[in-house]
Amino acid sequence: MRKMLEKTKLIVDVLDIFVSLKRGLNLPDLIFQLNDIYAPQGMKVEQEMLLEILNELAADGYLKTFKVGVLDSWKITEEGEDHFYDL
């Protein structure tokens, strides 16, 4: 039985990954990073929830969206970094 991920925790972890890596990530890369964190706890990131969070963070100006080839990618903005450190 899988445990459910808390949305707030996922938001913080998403921002943490972007701040730590200092580069853009596409959806498969981000899912891989998050599942690497959560798998030992028996949790898995659902793509739909992650996309919802990425779109919210982009709408708030904390992430910027861009294309690399055919894949959507995201990168943290200065506002996003400030928001992360304020959490």
Side-chain angles (χ1 to χ4, degrees), residues 18 22-27 29 54-55 58 63-77:
F18 279 110
K22 301 278 189 206
R23 65 179 180 90
L25 292 169
N26 58 40
L27 191 61
D29 289 339
L54 291 170
N55 289 329
L63 295 178
K64 67 178 181 175
T65 306
F66 59 97
K67 288 254 189 216
V68 176
V70 296
L71 295 177
D72 286 334
S73 296
W74 292 266
K75 186 171 184 177
I76 196 158
T77 63

Side-chain angles (χ1 to χ4, degrees), residues 10-53:
L10 186 55
I11 290 170
V12 172
D13 288 338
V14 165
L15 291 172
D16 186 21
I17 289 169
F18 279 110
V19 167
S20 298
L21 294 177
K22 301 278 189 206
R23 65 179 180 90
L25 292 169
N26 58 40
L27 191 61
D29 289 339
L30 194 53
I31 288 174
F32 176 80
Q33 292 284 331
L34 290 165
N35 281 333
D36 193 44
I37 294 168
Y38 296 131
Q41 303 164 21
M43 294 185 271
K44 183 179 178 192
V45 176
E46 299 297 329
Q47 182 173 327
E48 297 80 28
M49 179 187 253
L50 182 56
L51 276 172
E52 179 183 323
I53 287 169

